[in-house]
Amino acid sequence: MDFGFTAGDEEFRADARAWLCEHGGGAQERRAWERALGKAGWIGLGWGEGGFGNRVATLTQQVVWAEEYARSGAPARSGHIGEKLLAPTLLAHGSEEQKARFLPPVALGEELWCQGYSEPGAGSDLAGVRTKAERASDGTYRVTGQKIWTSLAHEADWCFVLARTEPDSRRHRGLSFLLVPMDQPGRIEVRPIRQMTGTSEFNEVYFDGARAEHVVGGEGAGWQVAMSLLGFERGVSTLAQQIGFAGELARVVGAAVRSGAVEDPVVRDRLVRQWAELRVMRWNALRTLGSSGDAGAPSVAKLLWGGWHQRLGELAMQVRGASASAGPREWAPSTPYELDDAQHLFLFSRADTIYGGSDQVQRTIIAERVLGLPREPKGVV
């Protein structure tokens, strides 16, 4: 397989580690890393021959690249929402003008995106959104409303927003998929949400007449476009995610050996279960890789990894015993507290069964769309 790194993946790993050590991990550094990846041709591998991405790769080659990237310890991506979610959606539903405008900057790592779906009072129920978009006299839209849990909105240049363009519409009808520039002072306000980890990857976003020129798929087609986008959240990226999970599990096993907790048969049983369940997740991801039309596949994948990762965080604390409650450095009320990797895993993973569609919502999707059980009654919006 000639893919440009099969003989030199160790060189890439070394370059990635050196870059990370030299530049750190702040917002500007992450942007610089995205541009470096784009310049080298590593963004948009699965976009095909349309000329909007960089290298063209088969599905197998995409998996190899994603897994090697994860193994390398390269910096966390800040452009994955644009590359993995927006781009496939535009390729499937966007106009030629929209593809030409938005895909090249994503491929070059020059424009970052965030996703405006969840709202207070609606949560994982996308059909319950209340954000509105009214058509102005010049044919553009004015977006008004609030989104929440918007990942990386404080760094993003653009946001794809699900909003109601048909007054008095209900549920999934009357929704549109809008592309909104984030640099609109006085019309868009981003408020970071401080989490238990002390970090603020998630945000509240307030739209007050924000201007939007582009509608993907046409006005009123937002539900179909949004559902199509959710299907892109599995596959290659899931397999790469599992490489990171394997590394976390290895560190937990190491901590159990060092602390002596591995001698406890209950702990040993939990460690073995985590290992076995991770293998099941991989086999399931490989089974569904590249498939389409399976309404339950994304929900099954989310249920598997969300609960697994949360249990791993709990296990990471259990194997360390009382020492798990102490931070890596002495803490004082006047200074921000710090967490080590295991503590961060435990606290951040509490959200794994909520974001991206809560476990309850995923089970409802499987019940209704796969098992054919009676639909759950929905309230009127």
Side-chain angles (χ1 to χ4, degrees):
M1 181 188 303
D2 182 11
F3 192 37
F5 69 88
T6 51
D9 54 353
E10 289 298 333
E11 180 180 351
F12 174 81
R13 295 181 193 184
D15 289 345
R17 287 192 292 268
W19 192 98
L20 184 59
C21 291
E22 179 181 351
H23 294 84
Q28 294 304 314
E29 289 76 14
R30 288 194 296 272
R31 276 186 174 270
W33 177 246
E34 289 297 316
R35 291 192 293 269
L37 287 175
K39 184 178 180 180
W42 293 115
I43 300 177
L45 301 181
W47 296 359
E49 300 283 356
F52 299 112
N54 285 311
R55 305 170 192 246
V56 177
T58 66
L59 188 58
T60 300
Q61 291 170 336
Q62 293 172 51
V63 171
V64 172
W65 158 251
E67 291 187 336
E68 288 304 311
Y69 187 93
R71 287 191 183 98
S72 73
R77 295 287 309 280
S78 58
H80 65 281
I81 296 176
E83 180 187 8
K84 303 299 184 182
L85 298 183
L86 174 77
T89 302
L90 287 181
L91 289 169
H93 302 283
S95 66
E96 292 304 313
E97 177 188 2
Q98 290 168 347
K99 295 175 188 176
R101 163 59 185 86
F102 294 108
L103 294 182
V106 172
L108 292 173
E110 294 176 349
E111 289 184 347
L112 303 181
W113 286 78
C114 60
Q115 175 176 311
Y117 273 18
S118 296
E119 296 185 4
S124 298
D125 181 14
L126 292 184
V129 302
R130 292 184 171 88
T131 295
K132 297 180 180 179
E134 299 180 354
R135 186 188 288 271
S137 58
D138 61 359
T140 62
Y141 292 85
R142 297 296 183 268
V143 182
T144 301
Q146 180 186 356
K147 298 293 180 177
I148 197 168
W149 307 120
T150 308
S151 300
L152 301 179
H154 57 299
E155 299 180 15
D157 304 295
W158 288 81
C159 181
F160 49 88
V161 177
L162 194 62
R164 294 197 174 276
T165 48
E166 181 181 326
D168 302 321
S169 61
R170 298 177 178 178
R171 302 301 301 166
H172 61 275
R173 298 178 180 85
L175 296 171
S176 295
F177 190 97
L178 305 171
L179 308 182
V180 183
M182 293 294 287
D183 186 13
Q184 299 191 51
R187 295 181 176 179
I188 296 180
E189 179 183 1
V190 177
R191 298 181 187 175
I193 300 172
R194 184 174 174 83
Q195 298 141 217
M196 290 190 294
T197 57
T199 57
S200 302
E201 294 90 350
F202 304 123
N203 304 267
E204 294 178 283
V205 182
Y206 294 85
F207 300 96
D208 185 9
R211 188 171 183 269
E213 297 182 22
H214 299 274
V215 181
V216 179
E219 185 175 311
W223 181 256
Q224 290 77 16
V225 176
M227 292 300 100
S228 174
L229 181 145
L230 292 176
F232 298 129
E233 290 188 294
R234 71 178 193 272
V236 173
S237 59
T238 300
L239 288 165
Q241 177 191 53
Q242 291 165 12
I243 298 297
F245 287 172
E248 291 177 336
L249 176 57
R251 288 190 286 274
V252 173
V253 172
V257 172
R258 290 190 297 273
S259 69
V262 73
E263 301 301 325
D264 184 336
V266 174
V267 171
R268 287 204 304 273
D269 179 72
R270 291 192 64 183
L271 289 169
V272 171
R273 284 180 178 271
Q274 290 292 138
W275 178 87
E277 290 171 0
L278 183 57
R279 300 302 297 174
V280 170
M281 282 193 285
R282 178 171 178 79
W283 292 330
N284 181 68
L286 290 171
R287 178 182 65 84
T288 59
L289 186 64
S291 64
S292 60
D294 185 348
S299 295
V300 170
K302 177 60 169 60
L303 282 172
L304 287 174
W305 76 255
W308 183 92
H309 202 222
Q310 198 170 87
R311 292 190 296 276
L312 182 67
E314 296 166 355
L315 185 55
M317 296 295 98
Q318 181 181 356
V319 302
R320 290 173 56 179
S323 66
S325 62
R329 291 179 177 82
E330 186 175 349
W331 177 81
S334 60
T335 60
Y337 62 85
E338 294 186 43
L339 304 172
D340 59 32
D341 290 343
Q343 292 166 332
H344 186 277
L345 166 63
F346 170 68
L347 291 176
F348 191 87
S349 64
R350 306 315 300 169
D352 285 344
T353 54
I354 301 174
Y355 69 79
S358 68
D359 277 12
Q360 293 87 343
V361 168
Q362 305 302 340
R363 292 191 177 99
T364 297
I365 291 173
I366 294 171
E368 296 177 354
R369 302 182 188 177
V370 180
L371 302 179
L373 298 178
R375 297 185 67 83
E376 184 181 67
K378 299 292 195 305
V380 176
V381 176

